[in-house]
Amino acid sequence: MSMMIDGRAMARALSDRTAASVERLRTSGVDPALAVILVGDNPASDIYVRRKIGECRKAGIRSIEHRLAADCDEVALCDLIDALNADPAVHGILVQLPLPAGIDATRVLDRIDPAKDVDGFHPVNVGRLSTGTRGLVPCTPLGIMMLLDSVIDDYRGLNVVVIGKSNIVGKPVAMLLLEREATVTVTHIETRNLPDIARAADVIVAAAGAPHLVRGYWVKPGAVVIDVGITRVIDHDGTSRIVGDCATHELDHARAVTPVPGGVGPMTIACLLSNTVMAADRMAG
Ligand code: NAD
């Protein structure tokens, strides 16, 4: 049997460390705070925002919620971001994606002060990541690296195949892996012979959003598999469940795999909290 990497336990441990850092900052007069902006009434976004705010509370991070109507003006949203950028009591700013049609997400995200960009999506932070000078690193890739670090000591020369080339998962995780001197192949929907490419990998990071894309025969014995995918599927009886990108039941020959749910997801939120505290720490000088 392959080993299941317990993302929930690792996320709890990280959040405990974050809570301890919050306490330490408080004693030096800094009260770490995250501003969360939700535009519109997307039910999934609402759930994500509630979860993030709930986890902030548990770690002792103050959260400030701003809800704007779906038809809000982009200028009003940018004005709010400007005000939060200028507020010294706010250390992190998160704009929940996706934004409603008609609002240019790139323009909005670019407005956030890079020092408060706890999602790590601002071009300045993307540039720092790609040059190996650390700014704020996107939460999901950061969480993936921590999960991998629990089973891999030395990445030098390992063949890593990343499936998916998005700006929020595939590309940044590839940058982090390159920094560790892995040999990284980034693949996507147009990649040819993906099963053959995957089969050569020591590590597979699957972030395609394609349920059970990675089958047993794609994975070489002893490989480590990180399943980032989250797809909600409805069963015949009308019940819904979350499915990852990997056919985990076919991966007994892997060395270690992450479950879905309970793998990357909890780490993403825990990393959001740790990024917020890191931003507060850096601002405090
Ligand atoms: P995206 O839609 O922006 O990008 C998907 C990428 O996968 C694209 O590059 C596409 O070319 C590639 N792809 C799609 N189908 C493919 C296929 N059949 N073969 C090869 N490549 C394929 O998605 P994203 O935002 O990067 O998210 C990817 C998945 O990860 C989604 O299921 C998303 O819900 C999940 N996700 C999970 C977390 C978490 O915290 N666990 C965070 C972010 C994203």
Side-chain angles (χ1 to χ4, degrees), residues 140 164-166 168-169 188-189 194 207-209 213 228-230 264-265 268:
T140 301
K165 62 167 185 68
S166 74
I168 65 169
V169 188
H188 47 79
I189 190 81
L194 184 50
L213 174 72
V228 190
I230 300 179
V264 176
T268 295

Side-chain angles (χ1 to χ4, degrees), residues 48 139-141 163-170 187-191 194 206-210 213 218 227-231 243-245 260 263-269:
Y48 288 136
C139 304
T140 301
I163 306 176
K165 62 167 185 68
S166 74
N167 290 336
I168 65 169
V169 188
T187 65
H188 47 79
I189 190 81
E190 300 297 345
T191 299
L194 184 50
L213 174 72
W218 290 36
D227 190 348
V228 190
I230 300 179
T231 306
V243 177
D245 282 357
V260 174
V264 176
M267 285 303 289
T268 295
I269 298 189

